[in-house]
Amino acid sequence: MKITNLFAKEGLLVKEKVPLFRLTTFRVGGPADYLFYPRNFLELSRGFEIFEAENIPTYFLGGGSNLLVRDGGFRGAFISLEKLDFVEFEDELVRTGAGVPLARFLTLCAERGLSGLEFMAGVPATVGGAVKMNAGAFGQEIGSLVEEVTIYQEGRFFSLSRGQLTFSYRFSSIPDEAVIVAVNLRLKKDSQEAINKRIADYLFRRKKTQPLNEPSAGCIFKNPPGFSAGALIDQAGLKGLRAGGAEISRKHANFIVNRDGARAQDILRLINFAKERVFQLFGMELEEELRVVGEG
Ligand SMILES: Cc1cc2nc3c(=O)[nH]c(=O)nc-3n(C[C@H](O)[C@H](O)[C@H](O)COP(=O)(O)OP(=O)(O)OC[C@H]3O[C@@H](n4cnc5c(N)ncnc54)[C@H](O)[C@@H]3O)c2cc1C
């Protein structure tokens, strides 16, 4: 039986041949064979069972804000977490579905006078994606707020508590085969006014230094210890360098922006060129923060 029929028979939401450029902030990428939207944990596990039985590779999608999908797309199924969007408050502890966008999460927390994640204002990620990548800014990281993560791996759901998890710079110990379905974060009470002011301050600082009005995936490279990847690329004279429709941002050298119908191969050319030049000039190897997936 066709995959879509198998899913339809069980009332599961799946689409076929979905262009992924619409689902990434880079606005780049070919189609996925399937895109599955589990609406609850049960649907998620059932969908995985079907994909596994049919030998179909899977890849997890949050906000698509750290993702470059190659031009040939993905032979397999993308699993979008966007419908796992519950948020439950219990005093200073918040349990949230992995697919909740950070922007919505921040608004809900600010309304309740809960502080902690303001430094992520302006980042178009989901809570699950941010925890997976241990996203951070302005000297703070989301990992420091995590109390518990619920994941689905190898056919079962289980929770990992703070002590069972490791977070470091843009790294979490959650394995790539595991999908985060929910996260418990510990926040702190503060006045709504103070929280909103911090959000506005962080947004202001971000807008001043980052090309937020052009499609990008945030910082392409991790900062080498003690150095700024952006400063190295800038010193290499690469700001404004173009390949096809992609450009190394003139505003922030660690951003590549999609100026005009960029293809993934344009972006990859710029990435490789920047790595080569920085290595030639400074002897330093840049490592991608960006996740690259799919076929060329
Ligand atoms: C304008 C802009 C500004 C940014 N600023 C910052 C910043 O200040 N700091 C920072 O750290 N990052 C920043 N980023 C990058 C990006 O937002 C982060 O890396 C973020 O953590 C990605 O989350 P996401 O939900 O978009 O994940 P995606 O991009 O969808 O996925 C990223 C990776 O995580 C995996 N993943 C996603 N969701 C799950 C899940 N539920 N379970 C398991 N794996 C999952 C994916 O498979 C993929 O490998 C920025 C990006 C943009 C576009």
Side-chain angles (χ1 to χ4, degrees):
M1 196 187 286
K2 261 186 83 179
I3 292 291
T4 40
N5 292 343
L6 278 173
F7 273 75
K9 213 173 119 201
E10 307 223 11
L12 303 175
L13 190 55
V14 76
K15 294 180 180 174
E16 219 175 343
K17 300 260 172 289
V18 181
L20 291 171
F21 71 89
R22 294 210 184 99
L23 300 173
T24 67
T25 55
F26 244 146
R27 298 281 174 260
V28 162
D33 292 341
Y34 304 101
L35 176 63
F36 171 42
Y37 290 98
R39 286 163 291 202
N40 53 49
F41 292 3
L42 202 66
E43 288 197 356
L44 182 127
S45 61
R46 189 60 198 122
F48 270 103
E49 278 166 18
I50 298 176
F51 287 130
E52 209 170 290
E54 300 291 324
N55 258 324
I56 293 174
T58 51
Y59 195 82
F60 315 130
L61 177 69
S65 64
N66 193 44
L67 211 54
L68 178 63
V69 179
R70 290 197 182 89
D71 299 310
F74 183 70
R75 299 292 70 78
F78 260 50
I79 319 288
S80 166
L81 281 309
E82 76 167 47
K83 301 215 181 292
L84 299 185
D85 62 352
F86 59 89
V87 185
E88 296 158 2
F89 291 91
E90 198 189 316
D91 201 25
E92 294 185 330
L93 198 66
V94 190
R95 180 165 175 80
T96 144
V100 175
L102 285 181
R104 182 173 151 239
F105 186 76
L106 269 179
T107 306
L108 292 174
C109 292
E111 280 168 11
R112 283 162 181 79
L114 287 171
S115 162
L117 216 54
E118 295 90 300
F119 61 91
M120 291 307 285
V123 179
T126 56
V127 173
V131 169
K132 167 69 184 168
M133 300 298 303
N134 189 22
F138 306 109
Q140 298 168 74
E141 293 173 341
I142 193 169
S144 67
L145 304 170
V146 172
E147 281 288 311
E148 192 177 282
V149 175
T150 306
I151 62 178
Y152 177 82
Q153 188 182 8
E154 290 170 6
R156 64 189 190 103
F157 291 95
F158 55 98
S159 292
L160 297 169
S161 60
R162 214 185 146 63
Q164 296 171 293
L165 294 161
T166 310
F167 291 102
S168 57
Y169 175 58
R170 300 300 172 269
F171 169 84
S172 74
S173 56
I174 296 153
D176 281 348
E177 312 75 64
V179 56
I180 301 169
V181 293
V183 177
N184 293 7
L185 295 170
R186 181 160 302 277
L187 303 175
K188 276 205 166 65
K189 289 223 161 68
D190 200 353
S191 75
Q192 263 192 43
E193 197 191 344
I195 294 169
N196 285 328
K197 182 172 181 315
R198 271 195 297 276
I199 290 177
D201 285 350
Y202 283 128
L203 262 178
F204 178 76
R205 286 162 72 181
R206 204 177 268 283
K207 280 182 186 153
K208 243 171 71 174
T209 54
Q210 299 182 357
L212 296 189
N213 53 355
E214 290 175 290
S216 80
C219 286
I220 298 290
F221 301 106
K222 295 182 189 177
N223 290 322
F227 291 87
S228 148
L232 292 169
I233 298 167
D234 190 4
Q235 283 158 31
L238 300 183
K239 268 186 171 172
L241 184 73
R242 269 189 94 136
E247 183 179 287
I248 296 184
S249 168
R250 292 160 198 271
K251 199 165 181 182
H252 190 313
N254 200 9
F255 276 57
I256 292 177
V257 290
N258 179 354
R259 290 296 301 270
D260 181 18
R263 295 168 63 79
Q265 64 179 23
D266 302 331
I267 293 166
L268 289 168
R269 268 169 58 201
L270 289 179
I271 290 176
N272 290 333
F273 191 77
K275 285 173 84 164
E276 272 171 36
R277 287 300 285 160
V278 166
F279 187 72
Q280 280 166 2
L281 291 171
F282 310 112
M284 252 180 273
E285 285 197 31
L286 292 178
E287 186 196 337
E288 286 89 332
E289 179 177 324
L290 179 76
R291 298 285 179 117
V292 182
V293 64
E295 49 191 54

